[in-house]
């Protein structure tokens, strides 16, 4: 099988040759067109896509530098044409960061379509939040069908972080300490100078020998820090194959949900239907 040959070539350090062999495997598993809906040949293509993900990345000079930003203008380009196909698919990308004082998530979303018009979108359309559960599910036997004027959206990159600014226990912000300071300042047995030092005195006691209410707040602070360590999900998909003639798009998606150490990988395949031929004028 060609995919096995490509794997051997890769192990021998012949990545350029392995890439060509994988492309040939995809081409043979795509023609004639009846093979596009045959699960046996779909498996061959997925094997070839996975093989290509193991090879050194090919440079893509037409692709813009897709670095996450708070929000940026959409950047669009044409995907490189596959050998033997004079047509190209189109892609657009935009990035956003969303969050609050305690949470931040950034994502770069790509949209692929047959036409430049269908590929374009506005930055505010980005839906940040990949479906991590998909990574653990088996890929479908056949490519996911897409209409000729439809599009394919996926996260090129996603990361999230629970910010710890709100986790830190501080004496100045402690309700338990504030209650004790209020009692101290209203204590008639204390001198005026002692009452003026109540905040300093109570804070020192809270840090030296925290009472139950302070200990509960500090416990919540520790729990907050522990939870923050679990909100660190990462996700991303890359285009391995995009052929405008057959409509096939192969993706490799990988990532892990927050708190998970194991990275999961999934090969996905999509197929854009051919655009209907224009009717001949009478």
């Amino acid at each position: 099988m060609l995919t096995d040959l490509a794997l051997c070539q890769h192990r021998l350090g012949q990545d350029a040759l392995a890439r060509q062999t994988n492309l040939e495997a995809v081409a043979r598993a795509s023609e004639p067109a009846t093979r596009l809906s045959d699960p046996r040949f779909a498996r061959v293509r997925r094997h070839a896509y996975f093989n290509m993900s193991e090879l050194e990345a090919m440079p893509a000079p037409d692709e813009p530098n897709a670095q996450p930003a708070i929000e940026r203008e959409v950047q669009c380009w044409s995907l490189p044409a596959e050998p033997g196909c004079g047509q190209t698919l189109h892609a657009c990308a935009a990035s956003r960061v969303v969050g609050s004082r305690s949470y931040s998530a950034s994502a770069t979303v790509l949209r692929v379509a047959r036409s430049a018009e269908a590929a374009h979108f506005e930055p505010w359309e980005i839906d940040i939040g990949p479906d991590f559960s998909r990574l653990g599910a088996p890929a479908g036997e056949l490519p996911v069908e897409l209409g000729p004027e439809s599009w394919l959206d996926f996260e090129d990159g996603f990361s999230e972080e629970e910010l710890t600014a709100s986790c830190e226990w501080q004496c100045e912000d402690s309700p338990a300490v504030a209650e004790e300071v209020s009692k101290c300042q209203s204590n008639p047995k204390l001198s005026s100078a002692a009452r003026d030092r109540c905040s300093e005195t109570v804070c020192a006691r809270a840090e030296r020998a925290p009472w139950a209410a302070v200990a509960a707040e500090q416990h919540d602070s520790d729990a907050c820090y522990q939870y923050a360590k679990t909100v660190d999900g990462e996700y991303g998909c890359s285009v391995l194959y995009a052929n405008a003639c057959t409509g096939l798009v192969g993706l490799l998606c990988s990532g892990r949900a927050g708190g998970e150490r194991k990275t999961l990988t999934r090969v996905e395949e999509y197929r854009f239907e051919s655009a209907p031929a224009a009717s001949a004028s009478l």
Side-chain angles (χ1 to χ4, degrees):
M1 183 181 290
L2 285 174
T3 52
D4 293 333
L5 173 59
L7 183 59
C8 292
Q9 292 167 337
H10 167 56
R11 289 175 176 172
L12 291 172
Q14 301 171 339
D15 278 7
L17 185 57
R19 188 177 303 279
Q20 293 302 316
T21 303
N22 282 309
L23 290 174
E24 184 178 352
V26 174
R28 291 190 183 187
S30 305
E31 298 176 358
T34 54
R35 294 185 175 182
L36 295 174
S37 56
D38 188 323
R40 295 173 301 166
F41 292 104
R43 284 193 290 272
V44 171
R45 293 193 299 271
R46 287 200 301 273
H47 289 158
Y49 299 150
F50 182 79
N51 284 350
M52 286 190 280
S53 74
E54 297 291 297
L55 304 177
E56 290 186 12
M58 292 281 286
D62 294 333
E63 182 177 351
N65 184 23
Q67 294 296 324
I70 292 179
E71 186 165 318
R72 67 163 195 208
E73 295 298 323
V74 174
Q75 297 188 24
C76 300
W77 67 99
S78 296
L79 295 175
E82 293 296 338
C85 180
Q87 306 173 40
T88 61
L89 294 173
H90 299 268
C92 290
S95 300
R96 284 182 62 195
V97 172
V98 298
S100 61
R101 181 170 177 263
S102 61
Y103 175 80
S104 176
S106 62
T108 299
V109 172
L110 260 68
R111 174 171 291 181
V112 176
R114 279 197 173 277
S115 67
E117 293 76 16
H120 191 270
F121 64 98
E122 297 298 333
W124 52 263
E125 293 182 51
I126 296 175
D127 183 16
I128 294 184
D131 183 3
F132 289 102
S133 64
R134 283 175 58 87
L135 293 173
E141 283 204 326
L142 295 175
V144 178
E145 297 289 338
L146 301 171
E149 298 302 320
S150 185
W151 54 80
L152 170 62
D153 286 351
F154 58 90
E155 287 85 357
D156 175 66
F158 169 87
S159 64
E160 62 178 349
E161 178 184 12
E162 186 76 10
L163 306 178
T164 58
S166 60
C167 293
E168 184 178 0
W169 183 86
Q170 293 183 328
C171 182
E172 296 81 1
D173 300 326
S174 165
V177 169
E179 182 179 352
E180 289 300 308
V181 169
S182 178
K183 292 178 181 178
C184 174
Q185 291 174 337
S186 60
N187 187 347
K189 296 180 180 180
L190 296 179
S191 67
S192 175
R195 288 196 295 271
D196 289 342
R197 295 195 302 272
C198 278
S199 292
E200 180 181 344
T201 302
V202 173
C203 271
R205 179 162 65 92
E207 293 172 354
R208 181 182 68 255
W211 55 98
V214 171
E217 290 179 354
Q218 293 174 342
H219 179 270
D220 290 342
S221 173
D222 293 339
C224 179
Y225 278 110
Q226 291 301 316
Y227 174 74
K229 295 179 181 178
T230 70
V231 185
D232 59 350
E234 296 179 345
Y235 186 97
C237 299
S238 56
V239 178
L240 300 172
Y241 184 83
N243 191 319
C245 293
T246 61
L248 290 175
V249 177
L251 302 181
L252 180 81
C253 298
S254 62
R256 56 177 179 78
E260 298 291 334
R261 301 273 70 86
K262 183 179 180 181
T263 296
L264 300 177
T265 299
R266 170 186 163 105
V267 175
E268 300 182 356
E269 187 179 45
Y270 299 84
R271 184 167 77 92
F272 286 100
E273 297 175 359
S274 300
S279 301
S281 57
L282 298 178

